[in-house]
Amino acid sequence: MARVWRRSRTHAGRLIRKARQELNITQSEMARRVGYSQQHVNFIESGAYRLPISSVDEFALVLNIDETALMRAALNDLMPDSGWEVVKKAGVPVK
């Protein structure tokens, strides 16, 4: 997985951190539940790594958040200028 060094968190990373903290789950516990290391979860939350699209469903399930919202955030991180358009073209309902 390629590193993406950013100063600010990614959209998906912010969403994951907020949901995890609201559930009072540590990064270590989150990592155990999704099959990642604690460091990897930290990197996703901080924006050093992007959330893999293939892991959106696992994170959404563990955090009890809308999978579509997390997918939108992850796509927006991958393609910040066109992420929303990609989601719309894929037929995902936009609220």
Side-chain angles (χ1 to χ4, degrees):
M1 175 165 306
R3 285 187 180 197
V4 178
W5 296 105
R6 295 182 152 184
R7 291 178 192 214
S8 62
R9 293 187 191 118
T10 59
H11 296 284
R14 282 193 303 263
L15 184 59
I16 289 168
R17 178 168 285 179
K18 183 176 185 261
R20 179 184 60 75
Q21 289 174 336
E22 286 176 0
L23 293 172
N24 293 317
I25 299 173
T26 64
Q27 284 184 342
S28 296
E29 177 61 18
M30 177 75 192
R32 186 188 66 73
R33 292 182 187 187
V34 296
Y36 281 85
S37 69
Q38 179 273 326
Q39 184 178 26
H40 200 121
V41 169
N42 178 275
F43 285 165
I44 290 170
E45 288 185 359
S46 68
Y49 288 171
R50 291 184 179 134
L51 175 65
I53 299 299
S54 59
S55 299
V56 167
D57 59 338
E58 296 169 60
F59 277 80
L61 180 66
V62 168
L63 294 169
N64 195 30
I65 58 177
D66 182 55
E67 187 175 339
T68 303
L70 187 54
M71 178 64 79
R72 285 182 191 153
L75 285 172
N76 197 45
D77 293 338
L78 291 173
M79 297 171 275
D81 295 330
S82 62
W84 292 105
E85 291 305 313
V86 170
V87 171
K88 289 177 188 175
K89 288 179 184 175
V92 177
V94 178
K95 294 181 182 176

